[in-house]
């Protein structure tokens, strides 16, 4: 396992030439949408360099329809973020395969934030045939689950009349928790969950990079996901195969993640 600081990533980026990857697909996390990459400043950080916006990627295609470009484009995946991992992964895979058919010679980089990293990883495992020339980068993703998901799951199973009060006062976010209980069970990695299954499946040949919330002293993690769970080297099927990059910050995306991505994409 290689642990790099954000400073080292920026040094690599500034010293290297153009990025080798061409189709960069950004996958949002739970209770989020494609716009999170814009609101966080990640997309604008990328697009200030050689990367060009490609559009919003869905299973039905891209919107708006981009010009005939393929090299160094950024695509924002739009997925049903409350749905189980397999539903989101299959939806993402359809969109990615559509891009691959259009530009079959372009390398693919999947970047997933939080639960989006699990969705992207599952899409790679489910792809038949395997996607060639692929990189997977995850940001603060709960590869080994998170106790916060278990706590959220418990919050949706309150006894009456407490449950009635929660329904009345909890607002849209609480209703989202109730709708997404199958996904929360997976993120809590209950026995027999899809995440447990995923972590023991053979993973294709690809470049795997974990962006972990931490400092030079170690994998600290954040308020939602512990550091060790964010590291793909802890996944049984990927042990020793992933690079690990420590980027300080909260669980949310920030411009620093954009700079970290540029450093990863510019390095071999």
């Amino acid at each position: 396992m290689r642990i790099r600081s954000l400073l080292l990533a920026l040094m690599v980026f500034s010293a290297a030439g153009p990025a080798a990857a061409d189709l960069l697909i950004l996958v949002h996390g739970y209770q989020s949408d494609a716009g999170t990459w814009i609101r966080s400043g990640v997309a604008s950080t990328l697009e200030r360099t050689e990367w060009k916006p490609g559009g919003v990627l869905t299973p039905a295609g891209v919107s708006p329809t981009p010009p005939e470009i393929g090299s160094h484009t950024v695509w924002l995946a739009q997925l049903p973020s409350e749905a189980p991992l397999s539903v989101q992964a299959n939806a993402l895979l359809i969109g990615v395969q559509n891009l691959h058919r259009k530009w079959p010679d372009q390398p693919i980089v999947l970047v997933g934030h939080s639960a989006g990293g699990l969705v992207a990883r599952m899409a790679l495992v489910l792809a038949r045939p395997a996607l060639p020339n692929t990189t997977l980068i995850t940001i603060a993703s709960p590869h080994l689950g998170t106790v916060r998901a278990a706590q959220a799951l418990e919050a949706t199973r309150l006894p009456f009349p407490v449950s009635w009060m929660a329904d009345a006062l909890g607002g849209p976010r609480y209703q989202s928790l109730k709708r997404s209980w199958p996904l929360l069970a997976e993120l809590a990695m209950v026995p027999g969950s899809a995440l447990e299954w995923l972590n023991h499946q053979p993973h294709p040949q690809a470049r795997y990079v974990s962006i972990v919330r931490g400092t030079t002293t170690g994998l600290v993690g954040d308020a939602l996901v512990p550091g060790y769970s964010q590291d793909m080297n802890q996944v049984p099927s990927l042990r020793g195969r992933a690079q690990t990059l420590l980027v300080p910050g909260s669980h949310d995306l920030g411009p620093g993640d954009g700079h970290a991505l540029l450093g990863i994409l510019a390095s071999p």
Side-chain angles (χ1 to χ4, degrees):
M1 178 179 66
R2 289 186 287 170
I3 299 179
R4 302 179 179 180
S5 67
L6 175 58
L7 177 61
L8 179 57
L10 296 178
M11 290 171 60
V12 170
F13 169 63
S14 63
D22 287 320
L23 301 179
L24 181 59
I25 302 162
L26 306 181
V27 186
H28 62 79
Y30 175 54
Q31 292 185 331
S32 189
D33 55 46
T36 189
W37 300 98
I38 298 172
R39 296 188 295 269
S40 63
V42 172
S44 61
T45 299
L46 295 170
E47 291 164 12
R48 281 196 291 268
T49 61
E50 72 269 29
W51 293 93
K52 300 180 289 290
V56 175
L57 180 67
T58 70
V62 294
S63 177
T65 302
E68 287 301 315
I69 57 175
S71 179
H72 296 88
T73 50
V74 180
W75 308 86
L76 308 179
Q78 180 63 49
L79 300 172
S81 74
E82 297 175 351
L85 293 175
S86 61
V87 173
Q88 295 190 61
N90 279 291
L92 174 63
L93 184 55
I94 292 172
V96 171
Q97 288 173 329
N98 287 339
L99 285 184
H100 179 59
R101 280 192 289 269
K102 190 172 182 63
W103 292 290
D105 298 325
Q106 304 291 1
I108 293 171
V109 177
L110 289 170
V111 179
H113 173 239
S114 192
L118 308 181
V119 170
R121 183 156 64 88
M122 182 175 282
L124 285 185
V125 169
L126 294 176
R128 298 289 186 276
L131 295 168
N133 301 321
T134 306
T135 295
L136 172 64
I137 305 171
T138 65
I139 304 174
S141 294
H143 294 287
L144 299 184
T146 171
V147 68
R148 297 300 188 192
Q151 293 169 345
L153 197 60
E154 287 299 314
T156 67
R157 297 174 174 174
L158 300 172
F160 185 84
V162 180
S163 61
W164 178 85
M165 295 177 61
D167 281 333
L169 303 175
R173 185 61 65 107
Y174 181 73
Q175 297 304 318
S176 174
L177 292 180
K178 291 183 66 175
R179 289 192 301 269
S180 54
W181 70 263
L183 174 62
L184 292 174
E186 293 173 336
L187 298 182
M189 210 160 79
V190 298
S193 69
L195 181 54
E196 183 181 56
W197 171 87
L198 173 63
N199 285 351
H200 290 86
Q201 297 306 302
H203 283 55
Q205 288 299 315
R207 183 186 182 192
Y208 294 94
V209 184
S210 305
I211 293 180
V212 179
R213 294 299 184 236
T215 66
T216 54
T217 60
L219 310 180
V220 177
D222 54 50
L224 295 182
V225 184
Y228 69 86
S229 187
Q230 298 180 25
D231 182 8
M232 279 189 281
N233 286 293
Q234 302 302 318
V235 174
S237 294
L238 287 174
R239 195 157 287 141
R241 294 174 60 185
Q243 299 169 273
T244 304
L245 175 66
L246 303 181
V247 177
S250 67
H251 188 74
D252 294 337
L253 291 166
D257 294 309
H259 292 295
L261 289 176
L262 289 172
I264 294 167
L265 295 171
S267 64

